[in-house]
Amino acid sequence: MKEGFAIFPGSFDPPTYGHLNIVERASRIFKHVDVLVSTNSQKKSLFSTQERYQLMEKYCAPYANVNVISWRGLIVEYAREHDIRVIIRGLRPLSDFAYEFELAALNYQINNNVETLFIPTATKYSVLRSSSLKEMAALGVGLDAMAPAEVIDMLHEKLAAQK
Ligand code: ADP
């Protein structure tokens, strides 16, 4: 077992300050964090895998103990291959609980060497999610407090291209 190692998986479509807050807090607790940018074929993403990976890599660069990886397979498979026993998930009030509870139970069923640990979202990001960011961008709501300027610019470009 790789002691002090953890995985923080997500689609990060696109990355928000809510995600980055969890990365920062996880990096303070664990010796090493692998951020897994998932390529989930069932979910259609607005940002390509490469974009999501490159953005996360850039925003995680300040943390010397955080590594960003693009991953196609199951999270528990990555954990098994790399002998990592902790999965970190951010938890927003109400909306995340049922889904995250089921996902954690499912992952534990597949690999009971792996535990899911939750970090509660910072209050200011508690209603922030990537999908609502896209909706708010489409409505022209200011998003500066929610995601890096580069992400917001890319979001606007993508939405304009869809019109
Ligand atoms: P997925 O699409 O796999 O649910 P996301 O990319 O939406 O994943 O999020 C990845 C992780 O980041 C999840 O654990 C999610 O709960 C967490 N997360 C997303 N937004 C926030 C937020 N505003 N505050 C805290 N955690 C968050």
Side-chain angles (χ1 to χ4, degrees):
M1 173 179 83
K2 280 203 197 129
E3 213 155 311
F5 277 56
I7 298 168
F8 177 48
S11 23
F12 311 107
D13 182 38
T16 68
Y17 287 139
H19 295 129
L20 302 179
N21 178 255
I22 301 294
V23 169
E24 189 207 327
R25 291 161 70 193
S27 80
R28 282 194 255 127
I29 302 167
F30 292 94
K31 198 158 79 181
H32 184 91
V33 179
D34 279 341
V35 173
L36 288 200
V37 179
S38 65
T39 346
N40 185 343
S41 54
Q42 286 171 355
K43 254 191 191 174
K44 200 178 162 353
S45 62
L46 183 62
F47 285 60
S48 70
T49 305
Q50 204 190 356
E51 285 170 332
R52 292 182 284 125
Y53 169 79
Q54 283 175 347
L55 289 167
M56 282 306 281
E57 204 183 33
K58 187 188 290 186
Y59 305 137
C60 294
Y63 311 106
N65 60 341
V66 176
N67 203 17
V68 180
I69 292 128
S70 180
W71 183 250
R72 236 171 224 291
L74 294 178
I75 297 157
V76 283
E77 210 45 61
Y78 184 89
R80 203 192 312 264
E81 273 180 28
H82 295 268
D83 209 13
I84 298 175
R85 302 187 71 166
V86 176
I87 296 171
I88 303 286
R89 297 287 286 176
L91 199 64
R92 285 158 293 201
L94 306 177
S95 59
D96 280 340
F97 187 77
Y99 172 73
E100 291 294 341
F101 188 91
E102 276 178 27
L103 190 64
L106 191 69
N107 281 336
Y108 188 77
Q109 226 170 353
I110 303 172
N111 181 351
N112 63 11
N113 283 318
V114 180
E115 293 288 355
T116 300
L117 302 184
F118 296 111
I119 297 182
T121 180
T123 314
K124 59 184 170 180
Y125 303 130
S126 63
V127 293
L128 173 58
R129 55 183 64 252
S130 298
S131 55
S132 57
L133 197 72
K134 292 174 211 167
E135 284 160 24
M136 286 189 280
L139 294 170
V141 178
L143 302 173
D144 294 357
M146 300 178 196
E150 179 187 24
V151 167
I152 298 168
D153 288 346
M154 289 173 78
L155 200 51
H156 283 300
E157 275 170 33
K158 285 176 187 296
L159 293 173
Q162 278 181 350
K163 278 183 186 161

